[in-house]
Amino acid sequence: MFQWLEQTLGAIVILLVLLDVFLTVLYARAGTGIISDRLARLAWRVFRLVSKPFGRHRGVVLSLCGPVILLLLVAFWDIGLTLGTALVIHPRLGTAVTAGSGETPTDFITALFAGGSSTSIVGAGDFTPQTSSLRAFYLFTSLVGTSIISLTLTYLMQVYTALRRRNAFGLKLHLLSAETADAAELLAGLGPQGKFDGGHNNLSEMAKEMGEVKESHHFYPVLSYFRFNDSYYSMSQTNLLALDTVTLIKSGLNDEKYGWLKESAAAAQLWRASMMLMRTLSDTFLPNRVPRSPEPPDAQTRERWRRRYFAALRRLRQAGIEITADEQSGADIYISLRAEWDYLITMLAPTLAYDMEEIDPAGSRPASADERQEFQTRLSSAG
C-alpha cells in the first residue's frame, strides 16, 4: 500500500510541474500559474525584507530579484520533475528497474539519480527498466524532460526580449522629455511652434508601444519583478509620463485649435493602455490593497497639482503652443483627470523602492520647470 501511495504522490508531483509549465509558458496569462506566481511573490517579499538594511543601496539588492525568480522557477521545475520520477521509480528499484552492473541500490538517493537521468537529454544508462510499463514511463519522462528544457529556453529568451523592449520604451519616453521626467517637456517637444502633425505620429507610436508593454506583462508576469536603479526604466515613471501627457493634452491645450488631438484615438489608446498596465502591476504588487474608487485628493495635494499644471502651461506657452482659453477650468479638469491615476503610481512606486521625487520630479516640485532654460534654446543646441 505504501508503494502505491508513493507512486501516486510521484505522479501528482509530475502533473503539478507539467501544469505549472503549461500555465506559465504556453497558456501565458498573469495570475494563472499554480506555483510560479506564488514563488515570485514569495521571492519578492524576501528580497524586500533583506534589502531594508542596505539603505540607499536597497535598489541594488532588489534589482537581483527578477533574475533570481527565473533561476528559482527553472530549479523548481527541474527538481519537481526529478522528485516526481524518483517517487515513481523508488518502489521498483531492484525489481522492475535494475542497475546495469552489480547489485541495485534501493535507497531514495539512488531513485533521485535514476529519476534525474531518465529526464535528462544525456541521461546516464546506469539503470534500465525491465517491464513494459516502466519502459513506457522512461520514454515519457525523457520526452517530458526534453520538452521542458526547450520550453524553458524559449521562455527565457521571450522574457528578456520583452524586458529589452520595455526598457527601450522607458528610455524613449525619458529622452522625449529631455531627461526631465516632465510630461510638459515631452508634450512641448511633440508640438514645437504649435505644430502637432508629426507629434501625433509620435503619440500614436507611444500608444502602440504602451499596449505592447501591457500585453508583455500580461504574458510574462515575471517582468514586473525586474527592477532597475535608473528610475526611467521603472513602469511607475513610464506610466506617469504617458498619463500626464494625455492629462495635459485634455486639460491644457486649446479646444478650437487642438480639438482633433484631444479626440484622437492615439490619446485615448495611450490613456487606456497605461491604465490597464497600472492595474496589472497593482494586481501583482498590491493585491486587495487598491481601492475600487480612489479617495478625493486633499487640499494640499490639489494645490500642488494646480501649481504643477500652471508650471506646465508656462512651458507649453514657451514652445509656441496655444493653451486653453480658460486656465482655471483647465486646472480643474487636470486635477480631476490626475485623481484617476495618481494614487496608483503613488502606491506602486514605494513598493518598488522608488521615491516619488525620482518618479515625478515635476509634480513633487512644480517650480523646477521654471528653472530650466527657455524652450527656444533648442533652436541652436543639440538637446
Side-chain angles (χ1 to χ4, degrees):
M1 179 61 69
F2 177 76
Q3 293 178 352
W4 281 105
L5 288 174
E6 187 176 10
Q7 290 185 310
T8 301
L9 178 60
I12 292 173
V13 171
I14 293 172
L15 288 175
L16 283 175
V17 171
L18 294 181
L19 185 57
D20 194 55
V21 172
F22 174 79
L23 293 174
T24 303
V25 180
L26 297 177
Y27 188 67
R29 294 291 188 276
T32 58
I34 297 176
I35 302 298
S36 56
D37 281 357
R38 292 173 174 82
L39 184 66
R41 289 181 180 181
L42 176 60
W44 179 252
R45 291 192 190 100
V46 170
F47 267 85
R48 287 199 68 195
L49 183 64
V50 171
S51 65
K52 285 183 178 179
F54 287 84
R56 62 188 183 90
H57 299 293
R58 186 185 185 194
V60 178
V61 178
L62 289 175
S63 67
L64 300 173
C65 186
V68 168
I69 288 174
L70 289 178
L71 288 175
L72 290 174
L73 190 57
V74 173
F76 168 78
W77 289 340
D78 288 340
I79 293 172
L81 192 60
T82 299
L83 177 62
T85 54
L87 288 168
V88 173
I89 291 172
H90 182 229
R92 311 301 295 276
L93 281 176
T95 55
V97 177
T98 58
S101 59
E103 185 178 352
T104 304
T106 58
D107 59 280
F108 192 71
I109 298 300
T110 301
L112 285 171
F113 177 76
S117 298
S118 73
T119 62
S120 173
I121 295 177
V122 291
D126 296 340
F127 295 89
T128 306
Q130 302 297 328
T131 64
S132 298
S133 60
L134 263 298
R135 291 191 187 100
F137 178 74
Y138 262 63
L139 176 62
F140 169 75
T141 55
S142 65
L143 292 174
V144 166
T146 303
S147 300
I148 286 182
I149 290 174
S150 300
L151 289 172
T152 299
L153 292 175
T154 302
Y155 178 71
L156 293 178
M157 289 189 293
Q158 290 173 333
V159 166
Y160 278 98
T161 298
L163 182 63
R164 180 185 62 80
R165 289 175 180 168
R166 187 191 81 175
N167 284 3
F169 180 53
L171 178 60
K172 174 182 177 178
L173 293 191
H174 180 64
L175 296 176
L176 283 173
S177 72
E179 302 183 59
T180 64
D182 185 350
E185 197 76 27
L186 189 156
L187 185 58
L190 293 182
Q193 302 302 318
K195 294 177 170 51
F196 278 98
D197 296 340
H200 177 260
N201 294 331
N202 289 102
L203 198 67
S204 298
E205 188 64 25
M206 287 165 55
K208 174 187 173 184
E209 292 182 58
M210 183 62 81
E212 292 175 349
V213 170
K214 188 275 167 199
E215 197 60 18
S216 293
H217 281 76
H218 188 57
F219 265 64
Y220 311 112
V222 71
L223 286 175
S224 303
Y225 299 96
F226 278 83
R227 184 205 183 276
F228 295 84
N229 285 332
D230 295 315
S231 61
Y232 53 80
Y233 287 131
S234 74
M235 284 295 92
S236 296
Q237 189 171 100
T238 299
N239 275 280
L240 182 138
L241 274 171
L243 289 166
D244 205 19
T245 296
V246 178
T247 301
L248 287 172
I249 288 174
K250 296 285 187 179
S251 63
L253 301 189
N254 183 273
D255 287 349
E256 292 184 7
K257 188 169 184 178
Y258 303 116
W260 64 273
L261 184 61
K262 293 186 175 188
E263 297 173 359
S264 67
Q269 181 184 350
L270 182 58
W271 174 277
R272 293 180 184 278
S274 300
M275 290 297 291
M276 291 175 70
L277 177 55
M278 288 302 300
R279 289 291 181 185
T280 298
L281 294 172
S282 298
D283 289 342
T284 299
F285 291 106
L286 307 167
N288 304 318
R289 289 170 54 190
V290 178
R292 291 184 177 273
S293 56
E295 293 288 333
D298 57 35
Q300 184 178 0
T301 300
R302 290 176 64 88
E303 178 58 29
R304 177 166 51 82
W305 290 354
R306 189 178 295 274
R307 286 189 285 110
R308 185 275 181 281
Y309 174 74
F310 286 116
L313 290 189
R314 290 192 292 273
R315 198 62 178 170
L316 295 178
R317 195 183 289 112
Q318 285 182 13
I321 297 172
E322 191 170 336
I323 61 173
T324 180
D326 188 347
E327 296 183 17
Q328 294 299 330
S329 177
D332 292 336
I333 295 172
Y334 178 83
I335 292 171
S336 175
L337 290 174
R338 180 151 187 160
E340 294 185 31
W341 54 264
D342 184 85
Y343 74 102
L344 291 170
I345 292 174
T346 302
M347 293 179 68
L348 186 64
T351 305
L352 294 169
Y354 289 110
D355 190 281
M356 279 305 296
E357 291 188 3
E358 292 179 87
I359 299 300
D360 185 21
S364 300
R365 200 165 66 88
S368 62
D370 297 322
E371 298 170 2
R372 300 184 202 128
Q373 290 182 321
E374 289 285 325
F375 190 83
Q376 283 72 19
T377 57
R378 295 189 180 191
L379 288 170
S380 55
S381 67

